[in-house]
């Protein structure tokens, strides 16, 4: 019994020794640690408790009391919290979308990726030579079709005209709309000119020899088939792919737009990619 | 006049010449000519719908008896190639819609189709 009492006293003594004594400790570290430090505050000053009201700068006791009741929350803090939250959400959403577009744009660059586009030499509707160099410095929207196309191409070209106008309204001279014929036997420069002017005066129509067109379609991975054994003067239809190819100002493929995109959606996709572009733009018109 | 020009006794008017060039595919139709063709096509389709005809090429005899005037207008306002194309397209379109309906009834999910090559997670 007396032994257990003695052990309890020892434990109490130990507790008293280890209990924190902040003032004494701060004094000892100030003395032992850095003797050259200029002004170690004297014990009496460092340990004097400051009056709460004075420290927070409240004018009246009532003010301090009401602040004490509401704690650290106030309408100012609430607004700041909500604004910061909204800001962060907006920023991350924006950044996420940008990264997605970047991934789309870059998915076709580098090793082992499908290479769409490339050098070509064709003739426009005015009989001038056009190469891939003429398209550089601007985005281009490339569509393949033919003037005798029964239903899809005219629809899509009307859509392309709307898309082009929407993009032009925001960024003038940043996009070249290009129409490449898959039917060079019948679509010469004059035919293209008559055809395209009904859709948009700014459309660039491209034609060439059968070999040139074939090479162009191959570079853009466009499937097209002219029926074989066509006699001169005989009518026929050409089967072909119906995507819009968005190419960046360096002639690299960015994204394909299809039938499922409305002109507004298409224009937004194009404008968003333009926003991301960090390379050169053509300055002269 | 129609009879005479048909026999090649008088030279056809410029409009008639143009229309025959469009029909033969010698020239590409203009926007107005395309629209006229599409209107004729839609009227023709409406007649086929009303008479329960799916394939106008296979059932040409029935077409000739019940949709004679619509067919004549369709053939006169569109290029011959377009007429064949639209007749075949109708069959495919009806089949496609029927197939989609059938799949939907079986509880198939509509697939979202993307046009870029990006892998999606």
């Amino acid at each position: 019994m007396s032994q257990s009492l003695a052990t309890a006293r020892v434990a109490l003594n130990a507790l008293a020794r280890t209990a924190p004594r902040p003032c004494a400790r701060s004094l000892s570290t100030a003395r032992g640690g850095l003797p050259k430090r200029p002004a170690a505050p004297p014990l009496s000053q460092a340990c004097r408790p400051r009056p709460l009201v004075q420290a927070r700068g409240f004018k009246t006791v009532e003010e301090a009391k009401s602040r004490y009741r509401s704690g650290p929350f106030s309408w100012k803090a609430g607004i700041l919290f909500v604004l910061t939250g909204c800001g962060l959400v907006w920023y991350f959403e924006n950044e996420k979308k940008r990264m997605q577009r970047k991934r789309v744009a870059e998915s076709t660059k580098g090793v082992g990726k499908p290479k769409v586009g490339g050098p070509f030499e064709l003739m426009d509707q005015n009989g001038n030579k056009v190469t891939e160099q003429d398209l550089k410095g601007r985005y281009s929207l490339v569509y393949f079709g033919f003037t005798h196309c029964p239903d899809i191409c005219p629809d899509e070209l009307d859509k392309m005209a709307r898309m082009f106008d929407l993009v032009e309204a925001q960024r003038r001279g940043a996009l070249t709309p290009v129409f490449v014929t898959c039917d060079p036997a019948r679509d010469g420069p004059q035919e293209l000119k008559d055809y395209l002017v009904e859709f948009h005066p700014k459309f660039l129509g491209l034609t060439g020899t059968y070999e040139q067109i074939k090479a162009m379609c191959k570079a853009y991975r466009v499937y097209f088939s002219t029926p074989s054994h066509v006699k001169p003067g005989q009518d026929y239809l050409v089967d072909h792919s119906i995507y819009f190819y968005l190419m960046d100002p360096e002639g690299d493929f960015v994204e394909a737009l299809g039938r499922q995109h409305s002109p507004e959606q298409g224009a937004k996709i194009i404008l968003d990619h333009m926003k991301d572009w960090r390379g050169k733009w053509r300055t002269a018109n | 006049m129609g009879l005479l020009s048909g026999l090649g006794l008088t030279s056809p008017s410029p409009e008639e010449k143009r229309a025959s060039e469009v029909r033969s595919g010698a020239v590409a139709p203009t926007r107005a000519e395309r629209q006229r063709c599409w209107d004729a096509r839609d009227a023709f389709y409406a007649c086929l719908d009303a008479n329960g005809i799916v394939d106008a090429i296979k059932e040409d005899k029935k077409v000739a008896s019940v949709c004679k005037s619509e067919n004549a207008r369709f053939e006169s306002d569109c290029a011959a190639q377009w007429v064949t194309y639209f007749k075949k397209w109708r069959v495919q379109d009806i089949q496609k819609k029927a197939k989609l309906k059938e799949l939907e009834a079986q509880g198939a999910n509509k697939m979202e189709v993307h046009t870029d090559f990006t892998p999606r997670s």
Side-chain angles (χ1 to χ4, degrees), chain A residues 57-87:
Chain A
F58 297 122
K59 289 195 184 86
T60 61
V61 178
E62 281 72 27
E63 198 181 334
K65 272 184 184 162
S66 84
R67 185 55 190 268
Y68 177 75
R69 265 199 301 277
S70 69
F73 302 107
S74 68
W75 61 272
K76 273 184 199 157
I79 286 177
L80 191 69
F81 175 76
V82 170
L83 280 182
T84 313
C86 289

Side-chain angles (χ1 to χ4, degrees), chain A residues 115 117-121 131-133 212 215-216 219-220 251:
Chain A
K115 175 76 186 159
F120 65 83
E121 193 185 316
T131 71
E132 78 285 351
Q133 294 299 328
Q212 284 173 328
M216 179 75 173
Y220 277 79

Side-chain angles (χ1 to χ4, degrees), chain A residues 43-104:
Chain A
L43 176 67
S44 58
Q45 209 173 22
C47 289
R48 190 194 295 154
R50 288 178 166 200
L52 183 77
V53 178
Q54 214 173 19
R56 295 241 175 126
F58 297 122
K59 289 195 184 86
T60 61
V61 178
E62 281 72 27
E63 198 181 334
K65 272 184 184 162
S66 84
R67 185 55 190 268
Y68 177 75
R69 265 199 301 277
S70 69
F73 302 107
S74 68
W75 61 272
K76 273 184 199 157
I79 286 177
L80 191 69
F81 175 76
V82 170
L83 280 182
T84 313
C86 289
L88 282 174
V89 166
W90 177 82
Y91 174 76
F92 281 114
E93 280 297 309
N94 234 22
E95 198 62 3
K96 200 172 124 193
K97 279 186 197 143
R98 195 180 66 83
M99 289 312 288
Q100 270 170 354
R101 284 198 302 272
K102 205 176 157 195
R103 211 172 47 173
V104 168

Side-chain angles (χ1 to χ4, degrees), chain A:
Chain A
M1 175 73 189
S2 64
Q3 209 177 1
S4 69
L5 232 165
T7 49
R9 195 172 297 150
V10 169
L12 254 170
N13 279 348
L15 238 167
R17 241 178 279 129
T18 53
R21 283 182 291 177
C23 296
R25 194 182 286 165
S26 77
L27 187 74
S28 73
T29 51
R31 197 189 284 154
L34 287 163
K36 278 186 183 171
R37 194 191 281 172
L43 176 67
S44 58
Q45 209 173 22
C47 289
R48 190 194 295 154
R50 288 178 166 200
L52 183 77
V53 178
Q54 214 173 19
R56 295 241 175 126
F58 297 122
K59 289 195 184 86
T60 61
V61 178
E62 281 72 27
E63 198 181 334
K65 272 184 184 162
S66 84
R67 185 55 190 268
Y68 177 75
R69 265 199 301 277
S70 69
F73 302 107
S74 68
W75 61 272
K76 273 184 199 157
I79 286 177
L80 191 69
F81 175 76
V82 170
L83 280 182
T84 313
C86 289
L88 282 174
V89 166
W90 177 82
Y91 174 76
F92 281 114
E93 280 297 309
N94 234 22
E95 198 62 3
K96 200 172 124 193
K97 279 186 197 143
R98 195 180 66 83
M99 289 312 288
Q100 270 170 354
R101 284 198 302 272
K102 205 176 157 195
R103 211 172 47 173
V104 168
E106 286 181 355
S107 65
T108 52
K109 290 181 183 175
V111 181
K113 304 284 167 58
K115 175 76 186 159
V116 180
F120 65 83
E121 193 185 316
L122 296 167
M123 190 191 277
D124 73 6
Q125 69 263 54
N126 299 312
N128 303 316
K129 194 178 96 173
V130 176
T131 71
E132 78 285 351
Q133 294 299 328
D134 297 305
L135 298 181
K136 287 195 175 168
R138 291 191 179 113
Y139 273 83
S140 41
L141 193 61
V142 185
Y143 187 73
F144 291 80
F146 64 113
T147 61
H148 286 255
C149 182
D151 51 358
I152 295 165
C153 329
D155 266 359
E156 291 294 274
L157 283 175
D158 275 331
K159 200 167 101 178
M160 183 152 139
R162 288 269 315 279
M163 248 192 293
F164 175 66
D165 282 338
L166 288 169
V167 173
E168 271 294 270
Q170 304 248 344
R171 280 177 178 258
R172 224 178 149 66
L175 183 71
T176 313
V178 184
F179 175 83
V180 184
T181 179
C182 296
D183 187 13
R186 284 188 297 190
D187 296 345
Q190 189 56 49
E191 283 80 9
L192 281 184
K193 197 173 185 169
D194 294 343
Y195 183 67
L196 291 177
V197 80
E198 286 198 313
F199 292 97
H200 203 291
K202 290 243 175 105
F203 275 2
L204 176 67
L206 295 179
T207 183
T209 64
Y210 181 77
E211 272 67 38
Q212 284 173 328
I213 291 294
K214 201 177 161 189
M216 179 75 173
C217 287
K218 198 177 167 193
Y220 277 79
R221 304 293 190 269
V222 166
Y223 153 80
F224 83 109
S225 102
T226 321
S228 48
H229 313 299
V230 177
K231 292 183 204 100
Q234 190 188 334
D235 193 14
Y236 55 89
L237 300 180
V238 184
D239 205 3
H240 64 90
S241 316
I242 46 165
Y243 284 119
F244 297 104
Y245 294 78
L246 181 65
M247 313 296 289
D248 74 18
E250 277 166 14
D252 283 319
F253 171 72
V254 179
E255 191 167 353
L257 306 176
R259 294 269 284 161
Q260 75 273 28
H261 295 106
S262 71
E264 289 74 22
Q265 286 169 328
K268 191 183 177 307
I269 291 173
I270 297 170
L271 284 166
D272 283 347
H273 277 298
M274 285 177 169
K275 234 182 278 166
D276 297 340
W277 181 249
R278 295 283 167 271
K280 277 186 188 162
W281 290 95
R282 184 180 300 193
T283 42
N285 208 20

